[in-house]
Amino acid sequence: MFWPMLAIALGFCGLAVLTVLAARVFVETRRLARQVAEASRRVTRAAEDLERAAAPLAAQSARTLRKD
């Protein structure tokens, strides 16, 4: 009777460990997803800034090319 009870207890402990590890993976995945979303917003904002900064230069280049 001892061995079956020990096997059940070890199985329960194994499931508890797997549950804790799964919860940690879930939390870290959510944190990573938030960081990826923030990085995506920053990249989009930088691309928009670059586009706005390049517009006057492109217009100036077009005027210069038309004069030639």
Side-chain angles (χ1 to χ4, degrees):
M1 188 69 179
F2 172 73
W3 294 112
M5 298 275 281
L6 180 65
I8 291 171
L10 289 176
F12 178 76
C13 290
L15 285 176
V17 167
L18 287 177
T19 302
V20 168
L21 292 175
R24 289 181 63 188
V25 167
F26 177 73
V27 168
E28 290 298 319
T29 302
R30 287 188 55 139
R31 187 175 64 84
L32 178 62
R34 281 193 302 268
Q35 288 179 349
V36 168
E38 178 61 26
S40 176
R41 281 191 292 272
R42 288 181 181 178
V43 167
T44 300
R45 190 171 37 233
E48 290 169 353
D49 292 346
L50 182 61
E51 189 175 335
R52 275 194 300 274
L57 182 61
Q60 182 182 359
S61 297
R63 283 192 302 270
T64 304
L65 289 174
R66 278 188 239 142
K67 288 180 184 178
D68 291 341

